[in-house]
Amino acid sequence: MGSPPRSPRFPLVFVSASALTLSLVVSGCVTAPGITSTGRPVAPAASPASSPDPDAEVDMITTVDFGEVEWRFRPRAFIPETEIVLASGGEAVVNDVLYEVGEPVYADLTGNGVLDAAVPITAYDGNAVDAQWYLWLDIDGELVQSPLPITQSSQCGTATWSVTAVDGGIEVHETRRAIGEESIPCSETGTDERRRIVTAVEARNSGEWWPQQVSPHRGFGGVCPIAAEWEAYPWNEALYAAPDTNLEPIMPAPGTGVFTLDSWPVYGSDFPGWILVGVLHPDGILGCAWSEVAS
């Protein structure tokens, strides 16, 4: 089973800007936001926070055309092996799957004072739609893709309502299906609504940048599986944004509980000694984080 690859690096190239908010109905079913009745993605106007100031010095990443770069796409967000997608003209076809690249949203995600980007890419495989957002980072003038998506939408699954630039990072607003909701009709969304702010942190290897959640609570910033069991167990040991003890530990507040998540292969055997767990914070907000496994 392949681990998340070392983050790919590319020289920075040329141009685009805008954001995403989303909606609505396919044949009586509520689809993943951003998908029209024809099954094609919506490309709404940019939010003001995502558009560079025309009078300011241009950040290098705002000159990148993400429709002309090589992507590593993780099918369904949980497959260990990535699909190499060489986009041209904003799209690509790989193994009969059509990929389309959307418009970037810009924010400083590493704290180095220059803009980075969150960018959507959507896979169309027959009637299946898999829309994911990845972080792309300007690391010392090189373009680096984070190996894991920050959110993922699919028909009759998670609904990503918006991905926007805010103070402190990129805000993801999504509604997920909770435990017991896997089979609810497509005309309904789940009940697990989350708003979270994501940035990037270098973890595991030099040059490898992982999504981390910084608000409303610190934790893992990628896609969390749904709960595998109902009960949360009291927890007071260190948690981490990625499987790396060199990161600053997250010390749970009193009253924090953890719970088992559905076992996704992408988070599995490639990280011996670690497990991704669900986190129930004392204020009732859900998230996920990495924990060392007791030997």
Side-chain angles (χ1 to χ4, degrees):
M1 183 182 302
S3 64
R6 292 287 296 276
S7 302
R9 292 175 174 266
F10 307 100
L12 288 169
V13 286
F14 196 79
V15 47
S16 177
S18 137
L20 179 66
T21 27
L22 310 160
S23 290
L24 271 170
V25 179
V26 172
S27 301
C29 294
V30 174
T31 69
I35 300 169
T36 69
S37 60
T38 62
R40 313 302 283 176
V42 177
S47 66
S50 69
S51 300
D53 181 349
D55 298 324
E57 183 178 347
V58 174
D59 285 83
M60 293 179 70
I61 206 162
T62 65
T63 69
V64 175
D65 184 347
F66 289 97
E68 299 289 341
V69 302
E70 182 180 286
W71 292 70
R72 285 188 169 93
F73 183 88
R74 196 170 296 282
R76 302 174 69 187
F78 61 71
I79 302 300
E81 295 76 19
T82 54
E83 196 72 69
I84 304 301
V85 178
L86 182 58
S88 178
E91 61 181 39
V93 176
V94 181
N95 296 327
D96 297 322
V97 177
L98 172 64
Y99 295 85
E100 291 187 347
V101 178
E103 297 296 325
V105 176
Y106 298 108
D108 179 4
L109 300 174
T110 65
N112 64 358
V114 300
L115 291 180
D116 306 293
V119 191
I121 182 171
T122 303
Y124 300 95
D125 185 2
N127 292 326
V129 179
D130 184 0
Q132 302 183 19
W133 286 77
Y134 287 86
L135 302 182
W136 286 85
L137 311 168
D138 177 352
I139 306 298
D140 299 325
E142 294 185 342
L143 186 62
V144 178
Q145 182 188 353
S146 182
L148 297 165
I150 60 172
T151 188
Q152 184 252 8
S153 285
S154 59
Q155 289 170 306
C156 309
T158 296
T160 301
W161 303 112
S162 64
V163 175
T164 54
V166 296
D167 289 342
I170 295 291
E171 183 185 67
V172 176
H173 179 201
E174 61 194 354
T175 301
R176 299 146 37 87
R177 296 193 174 205
I179 185 171
E181 297 180 339
E182 300 93 330
S183 301
I184 62 176
C186 290
S187 57
E188 302 175 19
T189 58
T191 60
D192 184 2
E193 183 178 9
R194 302 186 185 188
R195 287 183 181 268
R196 53 196 178 88
I197 297 176
V198 175
T199 63
V201 63
E202 190 173 26
R204 297 185 68 245
N205 297 294
S206 177
E208 186 171 316
W209 290 82
W210 280 54
Q212 66 172 347
Q213 180 174 304
V214 295
S215 178
H217 298 283
R218 293 175 56 212
F220 176 54
V223 180
C224 296
I226 66 172
E229 56 186 45
W230 296 97
E231 187 173 3
Y233 301 93
W235 192 262
N236 59 11
E237 298 181 24
L239 298 167
Y240 295 86
D244 185 347
T245 54
N246 290 319
L247 298 178
E248 180 184 358
I250 302 165
M251 300 310 300
T256 298
V258 301
F259 52 91
T260 303
L261 295 174
D262 187 24
S263 180
W264 279 9
V266 66
Y267 303 140
S269 61
D270 294 309
F271 305 105
W274 290 92
I275 187 172
L276 186 69
V277 295
V279 182
L280 173 61
H281 296 280
D283 57 7
I285 293 176
L286 297 172
C288 61
W290 290 86
S291 172
E292 288 188 279
V293 177
S295 57

